[in-house]
């Protein structure tokens, strides 16, 4: 997880800007890199809000499902949903998916308790 955290913001900024922002000197970013950094923050805030709002509705259902069926099915569902975010990142690196999908892929897994 530490490795992902260290390179992910740069990779997302580069993808949104369409250029290598990390090679530019600090304080002298191009306009596209500045816009990309702002977009990255906005997407993070939006995905965090969506996960919280979704959790507000999903967590009561998850509690009832856990009471009725036990914890194991819910934990398996959470594990499967937890794979969506790394898979979206891998698909982006492979060239098949927009980086914005990375943020959306994390919403369902972060909504579960």
């Amino acid at each position: 997880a530490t490795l992902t955290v260290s390179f992910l913001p740069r990779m997302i900024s580069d993808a949104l800007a369409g250029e290598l922002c990390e090679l530019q000197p600090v304080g002298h970013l191009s306009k596209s890199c500045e816009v990309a950094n702002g977009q990255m923050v906005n997407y993070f805030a939006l995905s965090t809000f969506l996960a919280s709002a979704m959790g507000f509705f999903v967590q009561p259902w998850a509690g009832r499902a856990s009471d009725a069926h036990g914890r194991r099915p819910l934990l398996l569902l959470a594990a499967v949903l937890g794979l969506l975010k790394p898979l979206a990142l891998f698909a982006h690196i492979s060239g098949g998916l927009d980086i914005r999908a990375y943020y959306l892929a994390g919403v369902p897994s972060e909504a579960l308790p």
Side-chain angles (χ1 to χ4, degrees):
T2 304
L3 180 63
T4 302
V5 171
S6 64
F7 81 87
L8 192 58
R10 290 185 191 131
M11 189 178 77
I12 292 172
S13 290
D14 293 349
L16 291 172
E19 62 180 296
L20 291 176
C21 298
E22 67 184 73
L23 299 178
Q24 298 178 11
V26 176
H28 301 291
L29 291 177
S30 66
K31 185 67 175 170
S32 63
C33 289
E34 287 179 10
V35 170
N37 286 335
Q39 287 177 336
M40 182 177 57
V41 170
N42 288 339
Y43 290 134
F44 177 75
L46 179 62
S47 68
T48 302
F49 169 76
L50 290 175
S52 297
M54 189 177 196
F56 181 78
F57 296 104
V58 170
Q59 288 178 5
W61 168 84
R64 285 191 301 274
S66 178
D67 291 342
H69 305 288
R71 289 183 302 184
R72 180 172 280 174
L74 195 60
L75 290 173
L76 288 173
L77 176 64
V80 169
L81 290 175
L83 291 174
L84 292 177
K85 205 168 183 180
L87 287 174
L89 185 60
F90 177 74
H92 169 71
I93 292 170
S94 300
L97 193 64
D98 192 302
I99 192 65
R100 292 169 187 90
Y102 170 79
Y103 289 105
L104 292 177
V107 170
S109 65
E110 292 169 9
L112 285 176

